[in-house]
């Protein structure tokens, strides 16, 4: 069916102006969000939206392999078509622009732009050049992630992130991208959420490539962070005007009781989710407590690696979704103790905006060299339905409002937060959960590819319009 995105391109303003409801999103007058230099955008990732997995020389990625393996992804869904963004990108960018969003965080599919011998694939590169040029024309700030989990399968066949060589191949890939795309990218992020790549991919097997061993997780993490550290100076050399950083998911762990054992469990939870990544990046060392949690899993670290990993950053991207309440497991670790009677999303994740504020203010205390922060993902899944051409995603509106208030509180407490990207621009392939979980502020009907702007996006658009008009 034809691309229907054009049909919604003027929806935000018309739908908003006709709305009889009070605005449940708009931040209070004293919120830092009203500052015009606070970047408000939306995020996506290549494998989750592009589709076209066999087109124009794209090679298979670990997610093609993983999602084609029975039992790995809910309902057997794959990213083969996804939002068909590879073909519909122009209308999607029009939609983004029509919402007044000022920033767009996207990722490049490594297997689309380089062949197995490391040579550029022109057709794949041209896709991203066109896209980035269009964003520039529209005045939209681009945040480009180099690695949002779609490792070329040929590299996994040689050990993937367990093989130190993959870090050097990543630096080659960063070199090619920054030579080709210099001047069109405002900010480069090397990796998205190394915790997920290392732990879910190699530690418990919930994500591609599906391996499950704590020792693998720590070694994969080391090679991921090394890849990041090797890429930073390469990006600086090729594209000096842009910002360089990395995106980490962070987790808030709260203790189920005041007991010392439960407090320790919460501490270990945060070591595993936060310090495991942020300490090497910002202090040049792994947290020793990690190896109390996972005894005997110390990775092989060569001389100079930690200095490479701790290369100075222009920004730190933070992805935040929920908190986890934990108790001691009676040994070295923690166990989840889900709280009763709390608000949850379609993912079952607890809605807990204070966690975002507490983590941000905590990082400021822990890391004296904490770089400026962008919230590079925040959002929620709900089982949204189009009714009479509209999607009333009331829980998401309230979720976003409360999380943006938490960001404002962190800013007022002195944390340098410069922007916020909604996850996600549109519903998409949610990894192991396939298409069932809808995170978009734009609804996608996967049978027709019709996009429908949800009420949350209308209200964000309304706010941005008002902010722009303010003198
Ligand atoms: C993050 C991922 C992103 C999306 C959200 C819901 O962990 O970076 O791709 O799946 O979760």
């Amino acid at each position: 069916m034809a691309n229907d995105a054009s049909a919604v391109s003027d929806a935000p303003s018309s739908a908003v102006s006709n709305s009889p409801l009070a605005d449940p999103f708009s931040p209070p007058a004293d919120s830092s969000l009203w500052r015009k230099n606070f970047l408000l955008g939306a995020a996506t990732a290549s494998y989750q939206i592009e589709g076209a997995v066999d087109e124009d020389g794209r090679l298979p990625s670990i997610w093609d392999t993983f999602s084609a393996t029975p039992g790995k992804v809910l309902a057997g869904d794959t990213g083969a078509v996804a939002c068909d963004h590879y073909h519909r990108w122009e209308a999607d960018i029009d939609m983004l622009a029509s919402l007044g969003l000022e920033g767009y965080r996207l990722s490049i599919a490594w297997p689309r732009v380089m062949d197995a011998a490391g040579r550029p694939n022109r057709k794949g590169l041209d896709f991203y050049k066109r896209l980035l040029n269009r964003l520039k024309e529209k005045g939209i700030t681009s945040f480009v992630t180099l690695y949002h989990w779609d490792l070329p399968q040929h590299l996994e066949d040689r050990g993937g992130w367990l093989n130190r060589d993959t870090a050097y191949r990543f630096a080659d890939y960063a070199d090619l991208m920054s030579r080709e795309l210099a001047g069109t990218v405002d900010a480069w992020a090397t990796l998205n959420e190394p915790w997920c790549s290392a732990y879910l991919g190699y530690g418990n097997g919930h994500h591609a490539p599906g391996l499950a061993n704590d020792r693998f997780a720590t070694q994969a993490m080391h090679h991921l962070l090394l890849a990041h550290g090797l890429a930073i100076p390469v990006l600086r050399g090729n594209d000096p005007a842009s910002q360089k950083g990395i995106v980490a998911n962070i987790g808030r762990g709260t203790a189920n009781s005041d007991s010392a054992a439960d407090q320790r469990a919460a501490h270990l939870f945060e070591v595993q989710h936060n310090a495991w990544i942020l300490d090497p990046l910002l202090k040049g060392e792994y947290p020793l407590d990690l190896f109390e949690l996972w005894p005997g899993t110390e990775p092989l670290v060569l001389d100079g690696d930690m200095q490479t990993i701790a290369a100075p950053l222009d920004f730190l991207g933070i992805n935040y979704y929920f908190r986890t309440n934990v108790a001691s497991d009676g040994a070295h670790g923690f166990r989840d103790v889900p709280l009763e009677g709390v608000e949850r999303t379609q993912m079952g994740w607890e809605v807990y905006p204070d966690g975002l504020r507490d983590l941000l203010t905590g990082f400021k205390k822990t890391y004296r060299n904490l770089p400026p922060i962008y919230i590079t993902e925040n959002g929620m899944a709900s089982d949204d339905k189009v009714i009479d051409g509209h999607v009333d995603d009331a829980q998401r509106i309230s979720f976003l409002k409360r999380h943006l208030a938490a960001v404002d509180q962190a800013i007022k407490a002195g944390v340098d937060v410069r922007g916020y990207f909604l996850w996600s621009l549109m519903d998409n392939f949610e990894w192991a959960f396939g298409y069932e979980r809808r995170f978009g502020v734009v609804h996608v009907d996967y049978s027709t590819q019709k996009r429908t702007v949800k009420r949350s996006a209308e209200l964000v658009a309304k706010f941005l319009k008002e902010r722009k008009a303010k003198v």
Side-chain angles (χ1 to χ4, degrees), residues 11 15 385-392 443 450 452-453 458:
K385 305 261 185 316
V386 182
I387 297 167
D388 298 333
H390 296 280
V391 181
D392 186 10
H443 181 277
K450 182 178 164 66
T452 304
V453 172
E458 294 173 357

Side-chain angles (χ1 to χ4, degrees), residues 88-97 104 126-142 184:
R88 298 167 193 268
W89 66 272
E90 290 186 86
D92 287 339
I93 298 302
D94 286 350
M95 179 175 77
L96 179 79
Y104 182 46
D126 286 348
F127 168 71
Y128 295 106
K129 283 188 182 172
R130 285 193 292 269
L131 186 66
L132 288 161
N133 283 327
R134 184 63 58 83
L135 290 173
K136 225 178 167 48
E137 278 162 32
K138 302 257 181 202
I140 296 171
T141 300
S142 58
T184 62

Side-chain angles (χ1 to χ4, degrees), residues 425-440:
L425 173 63
M426 55 189 155
D427 296 338
N428 57 47
F429 176 77
E430 178 45 37
W431 309 112
F433 296 96
Y435 296 101
E436 190 195 83
R437 311 292 162 95
R438 293 181 175 275
F439 273 93

Side-chain angles (χ1 to χ4, degrees), residues 110 114 155 161 163-175 223 226-227 230 302-303 305 308:
W110 188 351
M114 255 184 149
L155 290 178
W161 292 109
N163 182 351
R164 186 177 170 94
D165 187 59
T166 299
Y168 295 89
R169 301 290 71 79
F170 179 79
D172 292 346
Y173 160 57
D175 180 39
H223 293 150
L226 182 64
L230 292 168
L302 301 191
D303 276 355
D305 284 1
T308 304

Side-chain angles (χ1 to χ4, degrees), residues 45 48 148-149 192-193 196 319 321 349 377 423 430-431 439:
Q48 296 181 274
H148 201 125
W149 309 351
N192 177 68
E193 302 190 350
C196 292
N319 295 352
Y321 287 95
W349 295 346
E377 289 181 26
W423 183 269
E430 178 45 37
W431 309 112
F439 273 93

Side-chain angles (χ1 to χ4, degrees), residues 15 32 73 88 169 202 222 237 284 327 335 363 397 456:
S32 344
V73 175
R88 298 167 193 268
R169 301 290 71 79
Y202 294 85
H222 185 64
R335 62 188 167 86
F363 294 154
I397 294 163
S456 56

